[in-house]
Amino acid sequence: MTQIELRGIQKFFGAVQVIKDLNLKIEDNEFIVLLGQSGCGKTTTLRAIAGLETIDEGDILIDGQAVQHLKCSDRDIAMVFQSFSLYPHMTVYENIAFPLRATRMSRSEVDKAVRGIAGVLRITDLLNRRPSALSGGDMQRVAIGRALVRRPKAMLMDEPIGALDAKLREEMRAEIKRLHLEQGSTTIYVTHDQVEAMSLADRIVIMHEGILQQVGSPSEVYSYPANLFVAQFVGSPVMNIAKAQVSEEAGSARVTVDGAEKGFAFPNELLGKIDRLKGANGSLALGIRPEGVMVEHQAREGFLPVEAQIIEPLGSYDIVDLKLGSQMLRARTRSGFVASAGDKVFARIDPTQAHFFDTKSGNSLGVRL
Amino acid sequence: MATAVMTTLDQRTRAASRGMSDISIRNLFIIPTILFLIVFNIFPLLYSLYYSFTDFRASTNAPANFVGLQNYRELLNDPFIWSNFAITAQYVIVSVTGQVLVGFGVAMLLNRDIPFKGLITTLLLLPMMLSMAVVGLFWKLLYDPSWGVINYALGLGNFEWLANPKMALYAVAITDIWMWSPFVMLLSLAGLSAVPKHLYEAAAIDRAGSFYTFFRITLPLVAPILMIAIIFRTMEAFKTFDLAYILTSQPTTEVISIRLYKMAFQEWQTGRSCALAYIVLIMVIAITNIYVKYLNKVKER
């Protein structure tokens, strides 16, 4: 049905370049999430696709047809705004009917379409209310209804649930996922919330300072971050990153974090892989997610003694800050595993979950053990 | 509620150090205003209400005789008075419609990013700041058939604007439109700039054309504030006196205020003119009420 392709998009706001040579191909029926911090250019990209923003260079193709010079009304794309942008003087029914009436659809067809979509969104009993009398979640449902009712080629969503409270956000997230599965349309979704991105996306597009950092499925992005930015942006709690040295000690590989006396034991193949990347050892960073840090009460082979500093109990698990030399290492443990701050425990790193980055370029070295 | 409105005087203020309480300060500010209102508004209002039931003439020393509703009865049965009302209505409709069209149109033009927007807005507001009498005298010159600028600019030769009984009322209305369109423009501009930009974006995404967007988004959202402008202008136009009086003395431009003025200060029918003033007052209140009802309906959204 609908493919969207971005080719070499450049966009300037005055002297500031907000989108830098963006290339992206979105397949039919795909749910794409643009993820990044505020000001990274994700919303501008979305608005450019919608036609609310012009681009300075490049092509936007919808179904193979260049649309960058078309008005938004000619692109047949629907959009859900962060602020909902419901028409305050119209009832819910009129709001949803607006895009249909604007194109002079017959009254009975409008009525059928509006009631149909209201049923799908479970807002049939709200149709006669005005937006001011709705809760945040219902306003969002209406906004989505207004976008879906005309069966657009693609749906664009600009932080559609960013303005809702945490509980409602979770509820609406599931709802959006359900709608996407039921209705099925190419969707581009902008958010700064990585949990939202992980749970909704078929593919996540991570942007930083106008530059595309990585495109991949949620698990790809999580397991194999392409660079330090992605590594630290995706995942909560944040991945541990520390400068490190790889060395050989008694015939086995050691990874010594800066500021620590001893190194973690790693499989020997690491040596060969690092050696192949000449000069990498001077500017190497080790990245490990908190769940990749294994903690034991007893000293064991390969484990280093560490001291627990801060314990954050999160219910199903604890996040423990471990002091390793002058470095801090965050570990995820069973809840209550480390009883109190100041306890001495032993930690090692799961080599299969370790990431190595070049600190100069920030890029991943692609070492997989 | 009433207690919450009044806050206690800050002990460090100069007024407090002079031993004034909040109550005495309140009295200091409010009592003169209330006295002024009573002497110049409320007393004359009640006094004229009394006179409207008498045959009092301010030009003689004859005592005022109570005549009941006779003044009202005679006025409401007088076809000449009704023709004055008809002239007034015609004037109100032409003048207010013109002001809304011109004022709102100019506001639409100004409601975008254009260079010197502030300066242009200020210059456009100038007519509104002039005195009615000055505007009247100016336009009398502009309308002059033999050497007036308007005929010269429009190439109308010796067209009679003010001496032509059919044209005179429209000439007065045009002057009023020139003078008061800026007022409608100012309020419309405030209303237009208060319409959130994202609604226009949503409408564009929803494939609404510019006419559809104007009639379904812009107009309904500006309606409340436009309504206020219309209420003000209708009331003012209904009471209009100066412009019509200065510009022309045609019988076809004798709006109700001029009739009232003549009745009170040329014919000295003081009692009867008081009654007429009350009839006008009731009519203005009635018209305003209709508008306010509609305004509240619009504002409910």
Short mmCIF file of all heavy atoms in Angstrom, two decimals, chain A residues 47 50 72-73 76-77 79 81 85-90 98-99 101-102 130 146 150, chain B residues 198-209 212-213 216-218 220-221 300-301:
data_model
loop_
_atom_site.label_atom_id
_atom_site.label_comp_id
_atom_site.label_asym_id
_atom_site.label_seq_id
_atom_site.Cartn_x
_atom_site.Cartn_y
_atom_site.Cartn_z
N ARG A 47 7.39 16.46 10.46
CA ARG A 47 6.64 17.57 9.88
C ARG A 47 6.99 17.76 8.41
O ARG A 47 6.16 18.19 7.61
CB ARG A 47 6.89 18.85 10.67
CG ARG A 47 6.24 18.82 12.06
CD ARG A 47 6.68 20.00 12.91
NE ARG A 47 6.35 21.26 12.29
CZ ARG A 47 5.20 21.89 12.47
NH1 ARG A 47 4.29 21.39 13.24
NH2 ARG A 47 4.98 23.03 11.86
N ALA A 50 5.00 15.29 6.58
CA ALA A 50 3.59 15.72 6.55
C ALA A 50 3.38 16.87 5.58
O ALA A 50 2.29 17.05 5.06
CB ALA A 50 3.15 16.13 7.95
N CYS A 72 0.37 19.77 2.10
CA CYS A 72 0.06 18.59 2.92
C CYS A 72 -1.27 17.97 2.52
O CYS A 72 -1.43 16.75 2.62
CB CYS A 72 0.09 18.88 4.41
SG CYS A 72 -0.21 20.52 4.94
N SER A 73 -2.20 18.80 2.04
CA SER A 73 -3.50 18.23 1.69
C SER A 73 -3.40 17.29 0.49
O SER A 73 -4.25 16.44 0.28
CB SER A 73 -4.48 19.36 1.39
OG SER A 73 -3.91 20.28 0.50
N ASP A 76 -2.06 13.13 1.25
CA ASP A 76 -2.93 12.11 1.83
C ASP A 76 -2.27 11.40 3.01
O ASP A 76 -2.14 10.18 3.04
CB ASP A 76 -3.36 11.09 0.77
CG ASP A 76 -4.54 10.27 1.28
OD1 ASP A 76 -5.09 10.65 2.33
OD2 ASP A 76 -4.88 9.27 0.64
N ILE A 77 -1.88 12.19 3.96
CA ILE A 77 -1.22 11.68 5.15
C ILE A 77 -1.97 12.25 6.35
O ILE A 77 -2.39 13.40 6.32
CB ILE A 77 0.25 12.12 5.14
CG1 ILE A 77 1.07 11.06 4.41
CG2 ILE A 77 0.78 12.35 6.52
CD1 ILE A 77 2.52 11.38 4.32
N MET A 79 -2.13 13.01 10.59
CA MET A 79 -1.16 13.27 11.65
C MET A 79 -1.87 13.45 12.98
O MET A 79 -2.94 14.04 13.06
CB MET A 79 -0.37 14.53 11.30
CG MET A 79 0.73 14.84 12.28
SD MET A 79 1.95 15.90 11.49
CE MET A 79 2.95 16.34 12.90
N PHE A 81 -1.20 15.11 16.64
CA PHE A 81 -0.28 16.08 17.24
C PHE A 81 -0.12 15.81 18.73
O PHE A 81 -1.01 15.27 19.36
CB PHE A 81 -0.81 17.49 17.04
CG PHE A 81 -0.87 17.93 15.61
CD1 PHE A 81 -1.94 17.56 14.81
CD2 PHE A 81 0.13 18.70 15.07
CE1 PHE A 81 -1.99 17.96 13.49
CE2 PHE A 81 0.09 19.10 13.76
CZ PHE A 81 -0.98 18.73 12.96
N SER A 85 -4.58 18.98 19.21
CA SER A 85 -5.11 19.87 18.18
C SER A 85 -6.54 19.54 17.79
O SER A 85 -6.90 19.55 16.62
CB SER A 85 -4.24 19.83 16.92
OG SER A 85 -3.07 20.55 17.14
N LEU A 86 -7.37 19.23 18.78
CA LEU A 86 -8.79 19.04 18.47
C LEU A 86 -9.41 20.42 18.27
O LEU A 86 -8.96 21.39 18.85
CB LEU A 86 -9.48 18.32 19.62
CG LEU A 86 -8.95 16.90 19.89
CD1 LEU A 86 -9.68 16.30 21.07
CD2 LEU A 86 -9.12 16.04 18.66
N TYR A 87 -10.44 20.47 17.43
CA TYR A 87 -11.11 21.75 17.21
C TYR A 87 -12.03 22.01 18.39
O TYR A 87 -13.00 21.29 18.60
CB TYR A 87 -11.89 21.70 15.89
CG TYR A 87 -11.04 21.26 14.73
CD1 TYR A 87 -11.36 20.17 13.96
CD2 TYR A 87 -9.87 21.95 14.41
CE1 TYR A 87 -10.56 19.75 12.90
CE2 TYR A 87 -9.06 21.55 13.37
CZ TYR A 87 -9.42 20.44 12.62
OH TYR A 87 -8.61 20.04 11.59
N PRO A 88 -11.72 23.05 19.19
CA PRO A 88 -12.40 23.20 20.48
C PRO A 88 -13.90 23.51 20.36
O PRO A 88 -14.64 23.26 21.28
CB PRO A 88 -11.65 24.36 21.14
CG PRO A 88 -11.01 25.10 20.02
CD PRO A 88 -10.73 24.09 18.95
N HIS A 89 -14.31 24.08 19.21
CA HIS A 89 -15.70 24.50 19.09
C HIS A 89 -16.57 23.43 18.48
O HIS A 89 -17.74 23.65 18.21
CB HIS A 89 -15.77 25.78 18.27
CG HIS A 89 -15.11 25.64 16.92
ND1 HIS A 89 -13.75 25.49 16.79
CD2 HIS A 89 -15.62 25.61 15.69
CE1 HIS A 89 -13.46 25.38 15.50
NE2 HIS A 89 -14.56 25.44 14.81
N MET A 90 -16.01 22.25 18.23
CA MET A 90 -16.80 21.19 17.62
C MET A 90 -16.93 20.02 18.59
O MET A 90 -16.06 19.80 19.43
CB MET A 90 -16.11 20.69 16.36
CG MET A 90 -15.93 21.74 15.30
SD MET A 90 -15.14 20.99 13.86
CE MET A 90 -14.67 22.46 12.98
N PHE A 98 -14.60 15.99 10.52
CA PHE A 98 -14.01 17.14 9.82
C PHE A 98 -13.24 16.77 8.55
O PHE A 98 -13.50 17.33 7.49
CB PHE A 98 -13.12 17.93 10.80
CG PHE A 98 -12.60 19.22 10.23
CD1 PHE A 98 -13.32 20.40 10.36
CD2 PHE A 98 -11.39 19.26 9.55
CE1 PHE A 98 -12.85 21.59 9.84
CE2 PHE A 98 -10.92 20.44 9.02
CZ PHE A 98 -11.65 21.61 9.17
N PRO A 99 -12.29 15.82 8.63
CA PRO A 99 -11.52 15.52 7.41
C PRO A 99 -12.38 14.95 6.28
O PRO A 99 -12.05 15.13 5.11
CB PRO A 99 -10.49 14.49 7.87
CG PRO A 99 -10.74 14.21 9.28
CD PRO A 99 -11.82 15.08 9.79
N ARG A 101 -15.78 15.71 5.89
CA ARG A 101 -16.61 16.81 5.41
C ARG A 101 -15.80 17.78 4.58
O ARG A 101 -16.32 18.39 3.64
CB ARG A 101 -17.26 17.54 6.58
CG ARG A 101 -18.36 16.72 7.23
CD ARG A 101 -18.92 17.46 8.43
NE ARG A 101 -20.05 16.72 9.00
CZ ARG A 101 -20.59 17.01 10.18
NH1 ARG A 101 -20.11 18.02 10.89
NH2 ARG A 101 -21.59 16.32 10.63
N ALA A 102 -14.53 17.95 4.95
CA ALA A 102 -13.68 18.90 4.22
C ALA A 102 -13.53 18.47 2.76
O ALA A 102 -13.28 19.30 1.89
CB ALA A 102 -12.31 19.00 4.88
N ARG A 130 -17.90 17.96 23.86
CA ARG A 130 -16.87 18.83 23.30
C ARG A 130 -15.52 18.41 23.88
O ARG A 130 -15.46 17.88 24.98
CB ARG A 130 -17.16 20.29 23.65
CG ARG A 130 -18.31 20.82 22.86
CD ARG A 130 -18.36 22.33 22.92
NE ARG A 130 -19.65 22.79 22.44
CZ ARG A 130 -19.97 22.87 21.16
NH1 ARG A 130 -19.09 22.54 20.25
NH2 ARG A 130 -21.16 23.28 20.79
N ARG A 146 -9.71 10.95 14.40
CA ARG A 146 -9.76 11.93 13.32
C ARG A 146 -8.71 11.60 12.25
O ARG A 146 -8.93 11.84 11.07
CB ARG A 146 -9.51 13.33 13.90
CG ARG A 146 -9.75 14.43 12.91
CD ARG A 146 -9.54 15.78 13.54
NE ARG A 146 -8.16 15.96 13.98
CZ ARG A 146 -7.70 17.03 14.60
NH1 ARG A 146 -8.53 18.02 14.88
NH2 ARG A 146 -6.45 17.12 14.95
N ARG A 150 -10.20 8.72 7.73
CA ARG A 150 -10.21 8.83 6.27
C ARG A 150 -9.25 7.84 5.62
O ARG A 150 -8.94 7.95 4.46
CB ARG A 150 -9.87 10.25 5.85
CG ARG A 150 -8.48 10.72 6.22
CD ARG A 150 -8.40 12.19 5.92
NE ARG A 150 -7.21 12.79 6.43
CZ ARG A 150 -6.09 12.90 5.73
NH1 ARG A 150 -6.00 12.42 4.53
NH2 ARG A 150 -5.05 13.52 6.25
N HIS B 198 -1.60 25.48 15.65
CA HIS B 198 -1.65 24.05 15.36
C HIS B 198 -3.01 23.61 14.84
O HIS B 198 -3.12 22.57 14.20
CB HIS B 198 -1.20 23.23 16.57
CG HIS B 198 -1.98 23.47 17.81
ND1 HIS B 198 -3.21 22.93 18.04
CD2 HIS B 198 -1.71 24.24 18.90
CE1 HIS B 198 -3.66 23.32 19.21
NE2 HIS B 198 -2.78 24.12 19.76
N LEU B 199 -4.06 24.42 15.12
CA LEU B 199 -5.36 24.06 14.56
C LEU B 199 -5.36 24.22 13.04
O LEU B 199 -5.96 23.43 12.32
CB LEU B 199 -6.46 24.94 15.17
CG LEU B 199 -6.79 24.69 16.63
CD1 LEU B 199 -7.99 25.52 17.04
CD2 LEU B 199 -7.04 23.22 16.88
N TYR B 200 -4.66 25.26 12.57
CA TYR B 200 -4.56 25.44 11.11
C TYR B 200 -3.74 24.30 10.50
O TYR B 200 -4.05 23.83 9.40
CB TYR B 200 -3.90 26.78 10.79
CG TYR B 200 -4.77 27.97 11.13
CD1 TYR B 200 -4.33 28.95 11.99
CD2 TYR B 200 -6.03 28.09 10.58
CE1 TYR B 200 -5.13 30.04 12.31
CE2 TYR B 200 -6.84 29.16 10.89
CZ TYR B 200 -6.38 30.14 11.76
OH TYR B 200 -7.18 31.20 12.07
N GLU B 201 -2.72 23.88 11.23
CA GLU B 201 -1.92 22.75 10.74
C GLU B 201 -2.77 21.49 10.68
O GLU B 201 -2.72 20.75 9.69
CB GLU B 201 -0.70 22.53 11.65
CG GLU B 201 0.31 23.64 11.54
CD GLU B 201 1.57 23.37 12.34
OE1 GLU B 201 1.55 22.48 13.21
OE2 GLU B 201 2.58 24.04 12.08
N ALA B 202 -3.55 21.28 11.73
CA ALA B 202 -4.42 20.10 11.75
C ALA B 202 -5.40 20.17 10.58
O ALA B 202 -5.64 19.18 9.90
CB ALA B 202 -5.17 20.02 13.08
N ALA B 203 -5.95 21.36 10.33
CA ALA B 203 -6.91 21.51 9.24
C ALA B 203 -6.24 21.26 7.89
O ALA B 203 -6.83 20.64 7.00
CB ALA B 203 -7.52 22.91 9.27
N ALA B 204 -5.00 21.71 7.75
CA ALA B 204 -4.28 21.48 6.49
C ALA B 204 -4.05 19.99 6.27
O ALA B 204 -4.24 19.47 5.18
CB ALA B 204 -2.95 22.22 6.51
N ILE B 205 -3.67 19.31 7.36
CA ILE B 205 -3.48 17.86 7.28
C ILE B 205 -4.80 17.17 6.94
O ILE B 205 -4.84 16.20 6.19
CB ILE B 205 -2.94 17.34 8.63
CG1 ILE B 205 -1.54 17.86 8.88
CG2 ILE B 205 -3.02 15.83 8.70
CD1 ILE B 205 -0.43 17.05 8.31
N ASP B 206 -5.89 17.72 7.50
CA ASP B 206 -7.21 17.13 7.25
C ASP B 206 -7.75 17.49 5.87
O ASP B 206 -8.93 17.27 5.61
CB ASP B 206 -8.20 17.57 8.34
CG ASP B 206 -7.93 16.88 9.66
OD1 ASP B 206 -7.22 15.86 9.65
OD2 ASP B 206 -8.42 17.35 10.70
N ARG B 207 -6.92 18.08 5.06
CA ARG B 207 -7.25 18.40 3.67
C ARG B 207 -8.36 19.44 3.52
O ARG B 207 -9.11 19.41 2.55
CB ARG B 207 -7.62 17.12 2.91
CG ARG B 207 -6.48 16.14 2.85
CD ARG B 207 -6.81 15.00 1.95
NE ARG B 207 -7.86 14.17 2.53
CZ ARG B 207 -8.29 13.04 1.99
NH1 ARG B 207 -7.78 12.64 0.85
NH2 ARG B 207 -9.22 12.33 2.56
N ALA B 208 -8.49 20.34 4.50
CA ALA B 208 -9.50 21.39 4.38
C ALA B 208 -8.96 22.51 3.50
O ALA B 208 -7.82 22.92 3.66
CB ALA B 208 -9.85 21.93 5.76
N GLY B 209 -9.77 22.99 2.58
CA GLY B 209 -9.37 24.12 1.73
C GLY B 209 -9.42 25.41 2.52
O GLY B 209 -9.85 25.44 3.67
N TYR B 212 -13.03 26.50 3.51
CA TYR B 212 -13.56 25.60 4.55
C TYR B 212 -12.89 25.91 5.89
O TYR B 212 -13.55 25.99 6.92
CB TYR B 212 -13.31 24.15 4.13
CG TYR B 212 -14.15 23.17 4.90
CD1 TYR B 212 -15.49 22.97 4.57
CD2 TYR B 212 -13.61 22.45 5.95
CE1 TYR B 212 -16.26 22.07 5.27
CE2 TYR B 212 -14.38 21.55 6.66
CZ TYR B 212 -15.71 21.36 6.31
OH TYR B 212 -16.48 20.48 7.02
N THR B 213 -11.56 26.10 5.87
CA THR B 213 -10.84 26.41 7.09
C THR B 213 -11.34 27.73 7.68
O THR B 213 -11.56 27.83 8.88
CB THR B 213 -9.33 26.52 6.81
OG1 THR B 213 -8.91 25.35 6.13
CG2 THR B 213 -8.55 26.67 8.09
N ARG B 216 -15.05 27.16 9.01
CA ARG B 216 -15.23 26.15 10.04
C ARG B 216 -14.26 26.31 11.21
O ARG B 216 -14.54 25.81 12.30
CB ARG B 216 -15.09 24.75 9.44
CG ARG B 216 -16.14 24.40 8.41
CD ARG B 216 -17.54 24.51 8.99
NE ARG B 216 -17.65 23.83 10.27
CZ ARG B 216 -18.28 22.70 10.44
NH1 ARG B 216 -18.89 22.13 9.46
NH2 ARG B 216 -18.33 22.14 11.62
N ILE B 217 -13.13 26.96 11.01
CA ILE B 217 -12.15 27.08 12.10
C ILE B 217 -12.02 28.55 12.52
O ILE B 217 -12.33 28.91 13.66
CB ILE B 217 -10.75 26.57 11.67
CG1 ILE B 217 -10.86 25.19 11.07
CG2 ILE B 217 -9.78 26.64 12.84
CD1 ILE B 217 -10.92 24.07 12.03
N THR B 218 -11.58 29.39 11.59
CA THR B 218 -11.27 30.78 11.95
C THR B 218 -12.49 31.50 12.50
O THR B 218 -12.48 31.99 13.63
CB THR B 218 -10.73 31.54 10.73
OG1 THR B 218 -9.75 30.74 10.09
CG2 THR B 218 -10.13 32.85 11.15
N PRO B 220 -15.60 30.64 13.58
CA PRO B 220 -16.19 30.24 14.87
C PRO B 220 -15.32 30.58 16.06
O PRO B 220 -15.83 30.91 17.13
CB PRO B 220 -16.35 28.72 14.74
CG PRO B 220 -16.27 28.42 13.31
CD PRO B 220 -15.47 29.49 12.66
N LEU B 221 -14.01 30.52 15.89
CA LEU B 221 -13.13 30.78 17.03
C LEU B 221 -12.98 32.27 17.31
O LEU B 221 -12.71 32.66 18.43
CB LEU B 221 -11.76 30.12 16.81
CG LEU B 221 -11.79 28.61 16.92
CD1 LEU B 221 -10.46 28.01 16.51
CD2 LEU B 221 -12.14 28.18 18.33
N GLU B 300 -19.89 29.37 25.29
CA GLU B 300 -20.02 28.09 25.99
C GLU B 300 -19.05 27.04 25.48
O GLU B 300 -18.71 26.11 26.17
CB GLU B 300 -21.45 27.56 25.81
CG GLU B 300 -22.36 27.88 26.97
CD GLU B 300 -23.79 27.50 26.65
OE1 GLU B 300 -23.98 26.56 25.86
OE2 GLU B 300 -24.70 28.15 27.19
N ARG B 301 -18.65 27.17 24.23
CA ARG B 301 -17.83 26.12 23.63
C ARG B 301 -16.51 25.95 24.34
O ARG B 301 -15.67 26.73 24.34
CB ARG B 301 -17.57 26.48 22.16
CG ARG B 301 -18.86 26.45 21.38
CD ARG B 301 -18.69 27.16 20.08
NE ARG B 301 -19.94 27.10 19.32
CZ ARG B 301 -20.13 27.78 18.21
NH1 ARG B 301 -19.19 28.56 17.75
NH2 ARG B 301 -21.26 27.68 17.57
#
